[in-house]
């Protein structure tokens, strides 16, 4: 069990205690002392004919629980139904769905092809059905539902759960060492063909009733790695203009082939160097030369500098007609503490090198800076789960002050799916359901098992995997 020296959020029971801890630790995070059921989080947002009923967004979260042919199982459908009963009105993609087999991050990742389309369409139906059952037969009129499409690139493991089959954007001197069997870099011609696969998947998503697709560009997967491919020669590498070519072609390809479909982008808007576990279990940065590929690399906590690449990308996306941006950071594989701040590390992670609240504050700060600079873009922020009891208070503050448009919810939805509904109806939060960031949802898949909230969701608690995941957390593998 981690010896993390930071106070648990659950122990900061009053606004005064939470504020004092933030001040003492010099963590720049604001919050409202009280949350109003009909306050900022309950306000609809209307833009370009799209009406979204409130300011909660369900972030994409996969469960490593599809079939080998890329179709959902009962576990997948249950998760999507939970998204539907959450009360959130924006569903940012549901989960990462590969556009073809070699782009799957695991052999159980969903895949969108003509053969799987009916069942992927069924997920949306399932979600909308659950939403109507819970909130009324017309409740989906202000629900905005999209699908996240992806190729996992360097982190592809399409055939065997613990065997990498990396197809990278470029070589990376530090990350390549983590792939002892080598890394193959995709050729320009292969990337050209891959664009067509994205467009094909987007067409299927549109035919399935999804209102938008997210051309995923985050977490070290291909769309993100392309943005940092400084050392790659040719049309897709080198200058930032070249590095944006892949996502540009995906977006323009979809816009011209499927004009009725929205295209949005989830992007790791800043990054840090890869971290590794030190002898005492705490994460430390790898030694770098400074020439490694990266997009929005942060050094010395200089957020303004780190967002330079992101600003160029957002200006470009705005020109392409992309309006909706979901900000996230880094990668769960090489710097999980910035991507999903947690008290307990996952199996392949490390004890947090900073108070996880600092990681939350960093992502919120990045989003606020960009919202101020790009007021016409709609922003969804991420990494709120670690706030636990204080999530609604922090979320309300940042939405109320126009620093983000939506509060994105990840892990907390696995343990407490209808937290938004409770907040919006003024009910007291169910403390026993609040995610405490045990990271079992990440450790499960790292052991080749399905993901879910093993400690807090009674459904997963009762599954055979629960004991093994708990033992690994407490005692190590
Ligand atoms: C089990 C699990 C699965 C995830 N799957 C995806 C995914 O498919 N696509 C994606 O963009 N992010 C994925 N994420 C990242 C989350 O969307 C989110 O960015 C992250 O958990 C931080 O938000 P939180 O603090 O609310 O959990 C996943 C996270 C977890 C824990």
């Amino acid at each position: 069990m981690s010896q993390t020296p930071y106070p648990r959020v659950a122990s900061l029971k009053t606004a005064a205690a939470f504020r004092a801890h933030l001040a003492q630790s010099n963590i720049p995070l604001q919050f409202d002392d009280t949350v109003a059921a009909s306050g900022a989080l309950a306000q609809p947002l209307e833009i370009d004919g799209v009406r979204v009923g409130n300011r909660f967004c369900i972030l994409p979260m996969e469960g490593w629980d599809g079939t080998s042919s890329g179709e959902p199982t009962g576990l997948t459908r249950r998760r999507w139904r939970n998204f539907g009963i959450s009360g959130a009105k924006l569903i940012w993609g549901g989960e990462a769905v590969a556009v073809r087999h070699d782009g799957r991050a695991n052999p159980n990742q969903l895949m969108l092809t003509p053969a799987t389309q009916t069942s992927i369409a069924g997920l949306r139906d399932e979600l909308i059905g659950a939403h109507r059952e819970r909130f009324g037969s017309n409740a989906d009129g202000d629900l905005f539902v999209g699908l996240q499409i992806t190729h996992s690139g360097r982190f592809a493991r399409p055939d065997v759960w613990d065997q990498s089959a990396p197809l990278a954007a470029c070589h990376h001197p530090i990350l390549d060492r983590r792939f002892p069997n080598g890394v193959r870099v995709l050729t320009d011609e292969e990337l050209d063909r891959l664009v067509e696969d994205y467009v094909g998947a987007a067409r299927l998503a549109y035919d399935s009733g999804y209102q938008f697709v997210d051309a995923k560009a985050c977490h070290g997967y291909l769309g993100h790695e392309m943005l940092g491919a400084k050392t790659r020669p040719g049309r897709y590498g080198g200058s930032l203009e070249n590095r944006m070519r892949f996502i540009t072609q995906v977006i323009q390809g979809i816009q011209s082939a499927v004009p009725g479909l929205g295209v949005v982008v989830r992007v790791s808007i800043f990054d840090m160097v890869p971290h590794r576990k030190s002898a005492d279990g705490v994460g430390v940065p790898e030694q770098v030369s400074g020439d490694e590929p990266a997009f929005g690399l942060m050094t010395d906590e200089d957020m303004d500098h780190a967002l330079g690449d992101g600003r160029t990308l957002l200006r470009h996306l705005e020109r392409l007609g992309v309006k909706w941006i979901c900000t996230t950071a880094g990668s769960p594989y090489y710097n999980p503490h910035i991507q999903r701040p947690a008290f307990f590390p996952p199996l392949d992670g490390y004890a947090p090198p900073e108070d996880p609240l600092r990681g939350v504050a960093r992502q919120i700060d990045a989003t606020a800076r960009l919202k101020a600079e790009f007021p016409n873009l709609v922003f969804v922020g991420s990494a709120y789960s670690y706030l636990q009891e204080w999530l609604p208070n922090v979320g309300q503050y940042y939405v109320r002050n126009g620093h983000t448009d939506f509060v994105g919810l990840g892990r907390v939805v696995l343990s407490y799916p209808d937290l938004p509904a409770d907040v919006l109806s003024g009910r007291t939060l169910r403390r026993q359901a609040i995610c405490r960031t045990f990271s079992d949802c990440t450790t499960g898949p790292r052991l080749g098992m399905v993901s879910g909230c093993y400690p807090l969701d009674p459904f997963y608690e009762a599954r055979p995997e629960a004991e093994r995941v708990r033992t690994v957390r407490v005692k190590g593998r």
Side-chain angles (χ1 to χ4, degrees):
M1 187 75 78
S2 156
Q3 298 302 308
T4 303
Y6 311 106
R8 291 178 192 233
V9 172
S11 72
L12 304 169
K13 289 195 193 309
T14 63
F18 186 41
R19 192 163 278 120
H21 172 65
L22 294 173
Q24 191 191 357
S25 309
N26 202 16
I27 296 172
L29 200 57
Q30 309 295 323
F31 66 97
D32 286 338
D33 284 16
T34 56
V35 175
S38 57
L41 294 169
Q43 301 312 309
L45 185 138
E46 208 156 342
I47 184 166
D48 297 341
V50 172
R51 183 180 162 87
V52 186
N54 60 46
R55 302 309 183 93
F56 281 111
C57 169
I58 304 297
L59 297 175
M61 260 178 309
E62 55 173 319
W64 288 257
D65 50 18
T67 66
S68 55
S69 56
E71 297 193 84
T73 60
L75 293 177
T76 327
R77 286 189 284 274
R78 177 180 184 270
R79 188 169 53 259
W80 282 62
R81 273 198 302 277
N82 278 347
F83 296 165
I85 62 151
S86 68
K89 291 289 190 177
L90 175 56
I91 310 294
W92 192 282
E95 65 187 274
V97 176
V99 299
R100 65 185 206 199
H101 181 74
D102 68 8
R104 295 170 84 186
N106 62 80
N108 298 98
Q109 186 171 44
L110 300 184
M111 186 166 54
L112 184 48
T113 65
T116 64
Q117 188 205 346
T118 307
S119 58
I120 303 276
L123 285 175
R124 177 186 161 277
D125 299 340
E126 211 56 85
L127 186 154
I128 289 178
H131 191 75
R132 284 186 184 152
E133 266 170 44
R134 173 87 186 243
F135 302 105
S137 53
N138 294 321
D140 58 313
D142 56 3
L143 191 60
F144 195 35
V145 184
L147 192 72
Q148 183 178 60
I149 55 175
T150 191
H151 186 290
S152 301
R154 174 180 290 276
F155 296 105
R157 290 182 172 194
D159 297 313
V160 184
W161 70 271
D162 58 353
Q163 277 178 30
S164 295
L167 293 171
C170 59
H171 285 293
H172 187 299
I174 295 166
L175 294 181
D176 281 7
R177 277 191 247 136
R178 302 184 182 185
F179 296 87
N181 295 328
V183 167
R184 187 166 87 69
V185 172
L186 288 161
T187 64
D188 286 2
E189 292 67 34
E190 284 175 316
L191 288 172
D192 294 341
R193 282 196 293 277
L194 183 53
V195 169
E196 292 310 312
D197 293 321
Y198 272 79
V199 174
R203 191 180 289 110
L204 294 171
Y206 179 70
D207 292 343
S208 306
Y210 291 96
Q211 288 152 289
F212 62 88
V213 287
D214 168 20
K216 183 177 186 179
C218 57
H219 304 163
Y221 296 113
L222 188 70
H224 179 214
E225 196 173 41
M226 290 305 304
L227 292 172
K230 293 180 188 172
T231 52
R232 181 188 172 98
R235 288 181 280 136
Y236 287 108
S239 68
L240 186 47
E241 191 189 345
N242 277 359
R243 288 183 268 141
M244 295 191 301
R245 193 179 307 283
F246 179 70
I247 194 160
T248 303
Q249 292 186 352
V250 167
I251 292 167
Q252 289 181 327
I254 296 171
Q255 287 171 333
S256 84
V258 204
L261 183 69
V263 189
V264 307
V265 176
R266 187 166 204 222
V267 55
S268 284
I269 203 72
F270 65 87
D271 207 348
M272 279 190 190
V273 299
H275 278 54
R276 63 177 171 79
K277 196 183 201 168
S278 62
D280 62 0
V282 177
V284 289
E286 298 265 20
Q287 287 292 326
V288 293
S289 69
D291 296 329
E292 291 80 7
F295 176 81
L297 190 67
M298 176 176 264
T299 46
D300 304 326
E301 288 297 326
D302 185 349
M303 182 61 81
D304 186 54
H305 177 76
L307 291 179
D309 285 349
R311 286 189 193 98
T312 306
L313 176 68
L314 294 190
R315 265 194 300 278
H316 179 66
L317 292 177
E318 199 169 12
R319 275 196 298 271
L320 290 177
V322 174
K323 270 250 165 77
W324 297 71
I325 302 294
C326 181
T327 50
T328 171
S331 164
Y333 299 103
Y334 59 75
N335 48 25
H337 75 288
I338 72 160
Q339 200 270 323
R340 49 183 83 154
F343 200 83
F344 302 99
L347 177 63
D348 61 341
Y350 43 76
E354 62 182 9
D355 187 326
L357 285 170
R358 196 173 298 285
V360 175
R362 205 181 280 117
Q363 289 205 34
I364 287 179
D365 173 44
T367 309
R369 287 171 189 252
L370 293 170
K371 179 68 198 175
E373 291 177 51
F374 296 89
N376 296 327
L377 295 180
V378 178
F379 283 90
V380 177
S382 303
Y384 284 82
S385 285
Y386 187 76
L387 292 164
Q388 303 166 49
E389 278 82 350
W390 296 105
L391 188 160
N393 305 63
V394 173
Q396 179 182 278
Y397 175 90
Y398 284 93
V399 171
R400 187 170 62 76
N401 289 288
H403 298 315
T404 186
D405 297 294
F406 288 87
V407 172
L409 303 179
R411 291 162 294 179
V412 67
V413 179
L414 301 179
S415 64
Y416 190 170
D418 52 354
L419 174 132
D422 281 355
V423 172
L424 296 171
S425 57
R427 281 191 287 272
T428 308
L429 293 189
R430 286 190 292 119
R431 293 197 61 174
Q432 73 279 14
I434 295 176
C435 168
R436 301 299 177 191
T437 65
F438 287 110
S439 291
D440 289 4
C441 53
T442 306
T443 292
R446 300 295 186 255
L447 294 166
M449 301 191 288
V450 296
S451 174
C453 185
Y454 292 103
L456 299 181
D457 178 348
F459 178 87
Y460 280 91
E461 235 178 314
R463 284 185 62 88
E465 297 92 339
E467 184 50 35
R468 168 111 169 89
V469 174
R470 203 184 72 82
T471 308
V472 166
R473 167 158 43 82
V474 177
K475 299 192 183 143
R477 196 198 280 259

